[in-house]
């Protein structure tokens, strides 16, 4: 039996914080993102106090205070490092994996039966939790969509779930379509209007209707839900893998503002291209180069990050790109060239409802990008820009950020032994 598996870290950012603050295990914790503006991760205890995902922080300030919830600003350097370690362990255990987001990865495996598969996944769960210390949920099924659902299903219980054959089919009349990966808010409302409420409803709807109403995406979805794989983790749906945008300066510059302007320009163009092919990027890298001559060469730098979720909104991409630029920049160094690469591109039709939807969830956001692309197409690339030529503003408000325990020598955890 060929199966897809999915590993998903539970309350990932909170779990990373707890690695170095074991005193917070069992206590309510919230991690804030977007300059401490929104809630991006919550412990189970914080969820019970009624802190919703993606909510603006000011709306829950009182709940946080009244219940003594511990707050953290996002410490992406720590989360990425923990993520890399988890992916490394997964590769060791499974061979090829497909990292889907900062805390999720798909893989394929073959087992004789669901029962054997469950034992294997339970082993894997224990290995990750022992080696890294972050709690994970594992799901498996005959398609990626079912594996994704399975990983959610047992999250708060055993954390391991295999759904195939009758085990899956029996559930389909009870699973709301709104809980299925890839069915966003708008589609789910539309489906409800057509009396498609549960997975079984979609499976028994006429093919011609699904094709007309939901297009190829709908057909693929139905195929996935009837246990026939329509998605392959390695397949990028025919999209190119990366988009690069780079250019040399007419003369070298030592100014951070000039580099930020250049990077902003490159992100604007690359993101426009990304949206034009209907893609979303899963990784972003920024490169700043010094002149090829002389000792400055060693000061060139390139840094890549895995984005929290696949995205294409220029504003969000810019926030990451500019903070990378700032991190790479060294004052007094003559820079010659700057560029960006948007990588791990997937089709926008294949982007799940994720915890990170607050970044790009609204139709208004997509519409805004569309309007900007059209204006630039009509009036030239500089018709609408994103604060270029202005000095980069203050980007990081992270007053609650924990130390970068694993990546910065100055912030390594200190242990003292009293003699
Ligand atoms: Mg997760």
């Amino acid at each position: 039996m060929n199966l897809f598996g999915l590993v998903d870290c539970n309350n990932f950012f909170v779990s990373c914080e707890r690695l170095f603050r074991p005193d917070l295990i069992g206590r309510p914790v919230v991690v804030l993102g977007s300059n401490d503006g929104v809630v991006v991760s919550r412990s189970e205890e914080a969820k019970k106090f009624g802190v919703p995902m993606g909510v603006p922080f000011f709306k829950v300030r009182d709940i946080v205070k009244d219940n003594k919830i511990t707050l953290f600003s996002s410490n992406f350097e720590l989360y990425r490092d923990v993520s890399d370690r988890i992916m490394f362990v997964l590769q060791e255990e499974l061979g090829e994996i497909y990292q889907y987001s900062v805390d999720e990865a798909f893989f394929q495996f073959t087992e004789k039966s669901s029962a054997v598969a469950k034992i294997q996944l339970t082993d894997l769960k224990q290995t990750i939790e022992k080696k890294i210390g972050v709690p994970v949920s594992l799901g498996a099924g005959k398609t990626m969509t079912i594996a994704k659902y399975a990983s959610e299903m047992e999250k708060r219980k055993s954390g391991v779930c295999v759904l195939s054959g009758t085990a899956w089919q029996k559930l389909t009349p009870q699973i709301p379509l709104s809980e299925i990966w890839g069915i966003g808010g708008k589609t789910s409302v539309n489906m409800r209007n057509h009396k498609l409420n549960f997975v079984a409803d979609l499976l028994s709807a006429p093919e011609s209707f699904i094709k007309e109403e939901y297009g190829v995406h709908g057909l693929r979805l139905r195929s996935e839900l009837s246990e026939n794989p329509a998605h392959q983790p390695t397949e990028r749906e025919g999209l190119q893998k990366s988009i690069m945008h780079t250019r040399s300066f007419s003369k070298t510059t030592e100014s951070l503002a000039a580099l930020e302007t250049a990077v902003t320009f490159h992100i604007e163009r690359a993101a426009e291209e990304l949206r034009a092919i209907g893609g979303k990027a899963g990784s972003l890298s920024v490169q700043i180069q010094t002149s090829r001559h002389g000792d400055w060469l060693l000061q060139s730098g390139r840094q890549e990050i895995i984005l929290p979720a696949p995205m294409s909104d220029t504003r969000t991409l810019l926030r990451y790109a500019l903070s990378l630029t700032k991190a790479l920049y060294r004052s007094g160094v003559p820079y010659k060239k700057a560029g960006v690469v948007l990588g791990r591109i997937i089709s926008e039709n294949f982007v799940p409802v994720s915890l990170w939807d607050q970044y790009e969830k609204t139709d208004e956001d997509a519409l805004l990008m569309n309007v900007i692309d059209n204006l630039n197409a009509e009036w030239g690339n500089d018709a609408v820009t994103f604060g270029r030529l202005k000095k980069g503003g203050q980007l990081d408000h992270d007053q609650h950020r924990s130390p970068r325990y694993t990546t910065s020598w100055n912030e390594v955890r200190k242990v003292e032994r009293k003699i």
Side-chain angles (χ1 to χ4, degrees), residues 8-12 103-104 155 355:
D8 182 10
C9 302
N10 302 346
N11 312 327
F12 182 57
D103 75 325
E104 284 168 286
K155 197 162 245 180
L355 301 180

Side-chain angles (χ1 to χ4, degrees), residues 53-65:
M53 188 65 188
V55 71
F57 176 59
F58 71 86
K59 289 195 180 166
V60 292
R61 202 184 296 269
D62 290 342
I63 305 182
V64 166
K65 208 174 143 210

Side-chain angles (χ1 to χ4, degrees), residues 13 16 45 70 92 97 102 107 126 134 173 184 200 219 230 241 246 248 278 285 288 292 412 414:
F13 300 164
C16 291
E45 299 77 15
T70 305
E92 263 183 347
I97 59 161
V102 74
F107 53 92
Q126 284 163 358
V134 168
L219 290 176
K241 281 206 178 103
T246 176
S248 297
S285 79
I288 54 177
R292 293 218 169 270
V412 168
K414 290 184 185 69

Side-chain angles (χ1 to χ4, degrees), residues 10-250:
N10 302 346
N11 312 327
F12 182 57
F13 300 164
V14 167
S15 300
C16 291
E17 297 293 349
R18 281 175 169 168
L19 283 178
F20 293 89
R21 289 286 308 275
D23 57 304
L24 295 176
I25 292 170
R27 292 180 39 201
V29 179
V30 156
V31 177
L32 301 174
S34 302
N35 304 330
D36 285 354
V38 281
V39 171
V40 295
S41 184
R42 308 154 300 156
S43 70
E44 295 303 324
E45 299 77 15
K47 289 176 194 174
K48 281 187 192 130
F49 286 129
V51 179
M53 188 65 188
V55 71
F57 176 59
F58 71 86
K59 289 195 180 166
V60 292
R61 202 184 296 269
D62 290 342
I63 305 182
V64 166
K65 208 174 143 210
D66 295 347
N67 298 290
K68 300 200 170 56
I69 297 177
T70 305
L71 276 184
F72 286 97
S73 307
S74 300
N75 184 347
F76 282 117
E77 206 164 313
L78 174 68
Y79 310 152
R80 265 194 296 276
D81 189 55
V82 175
S83 166
D84 288 348
R85 289 165 195 234
I86 292 170
M87 297 305 154
F88 183 78
V89 172
L90 286 173
Q91 266 157 353
E92 263 183 347
E93 297 292 320
L94 298 163
E96 199 179 4
I97 59 161
Y98 172 72
Q99 185 177 356
Y100 184 71
S101 70
V102 74
D103 75 325
E104 284 168 286
F106 283 102
F107 53 92
Q108 285 176 280
F109 66 120
T110 307
E111 276 308 344
K112 279 202 280 297
S113 68
S114 296
V116 182
K118 193 166 177 184
I119 295 170
Q120 203 198 327
L121 294 190
T122 308
D123 276 355
L124 184 60
K125 178 177 160 73
Q126 284 163 358
T127 306
I128 301 166
E129 292 177 357
K130 196 173 135 203
K131 287 192 173 168
I132 310 292
V134 168
V136 295
S137 302
L138 283 137
K142 291 209 175 119
T143 65
M144 291 171 74
T145 308
I146 297 175
K148 176 85 177 159
Y149 182 80
S151 77
E152 299 287 334
M153 209 173 105
E154 280 286 313
K155 197 162 245 180
R156 272 157 214 95
K157 292 173 246 163
S158 72
V160 176
C161 180
V162 180
L163 290 178
S164 87
T166 44
W168 165 251
Q169 287 147 22
K170 263 199 311 210
L171 282 175
T172 57
Q174 307 161 26
I175 302 172
L177 283 164
S178 57
E179 287 178 15
I180 294 298
W181 187 38
I183 301 184
K186 216 171 99 185
T187 313
S188 129
V189 170
N190 177 300
M191 287 183 168
R192 228 174 299 146
N193 291 339
H194 287 102
K195 300 216 162 34
L196 301 175
N197 294 306
F198 298 97
V199 170
D201 299 336
L202 189 72
L203 293 179
S204 59
E207 188 175 313
S208 53
F209 167 78
I210 294 176
K211 193 172 175 190
E212 194 183 304
E213 199 64 31
Y214 308 108
V216 182
H217 180 53
L219 290 176
R220 286 182 152 220
L221 185 70
R222 189 167 79 150
S223 164
E224 284 269 303
L225 293 173
S226 49
E227 302 197 281
N228 297 311
H231 297 307
Q232 291 294 328
T234 45
E235 164 198 335
R236 309 280 164 134
E237 315 234 322
L239 296 181
Q240 64 198 86
K241 281 206 178 103
S242 63
I243 294 173
M244 189 169 89
H245 220 278
T246 176
R247 192 188 280 174
S248 297
F249 304 127
S250 49

Side-chain angles (χ1 to χ4, degrees), residues 211-396:
K211 193 172 175 190
E212 194 183 304
E213 199 64 31
Y214 308 108
V216 182
H217 180 53
L219 290 176
R220 286 182 152 220
L221 185 70
R222 189 167 79 150
S223 164
E224 284 269 303
L225 293 173
S226 49
E227 302 197 281
N228 297 311
H231 297 307
Q232 291 294 328
T234 45
E235 164 198 335
R236 309 280 164 134
E237 315 234 322
L239 296 181
Q240 64 198 86
K241 281 206 178 103
S242 63
I243 294 173
M244 189 169 89
H245 220 278
T246 176
R247 192 188 280 174
S248 297
F249 304 127
S250 49
K251 55 178 198 256
T252 58
T253 177
E254 295 181 13
S255 134
L256 176 61
L259 288 175
E260 285 174 333
T261 295
V263 165
T264 303
F265 171 78
H266 294 315
I267 285 286
E268 285 173 5
R269 294 290 77 78
E272 186 177 76
E273 200 180 313
L274 180 66
R275 293 189 292 269
I277 61 167
K280 293 206 181 221
S283 73
L284 162 69
S285 79
V286 170
Q287 185 167 24
I288 54 177
Q289 270 174 32
T290 57
S291 145
R292 293 218 169 270
H293 309 289
D295 299 337
W296 296 118
L297 195 54
L298 292 174
Q299 303 283 342
S300 290
R302 176 178 181 276
Q303 214 177 340
E304 180 175 27
I305 56 163
I306 302 289
L307 295 164
M311 54 182 67
S312 64
D313 190 304
T314 303
R315 296 163 298 175
T316 321
L317 291 167
L318 258 183
R319 232 183 14 240
Y320 289 105
L322 291 177
S323 78
L324 287 180
T325 309
K326 209 172 262 172
L328 289 167
Y329 172 76
R330 302 282 173 269
S331 71
V333 174
Y335 289 102
K336 183 80 182 110
K337 192 175 180 180
V340 304
V341 179
L342 301 178
R344 295 171 180 250
I345 295 172
I346 60 167
S347 159
E348 62 190 359
N349 294 325
F350 187 35
V351 172
V353 186
S354 86
L355 301 180
W356 288 83
D357 276 3
Q358 73 263 15
Y359 282 127
E360 312 205 319
K361 79 179 156 193
T362 61
D363 295 335
E364 288 84 33
D365 287 341
L367 194 63
L368 175 64
M369 289 301 129
N370 199 342
V371 168
I372 290 169
D373 291 344
N374 289 338
L375 283 170
N376 282 336
E378 192 147 337
W379 299 97
N381 280 339
D382 283 331
V384 185
T385 69
F386 289 78
R388 249 191 292 142
L389 310 175
K390 289 183 198 131
K391 244 184 132 132
Q394 187 64 33
L395 282 159
D396 297 313

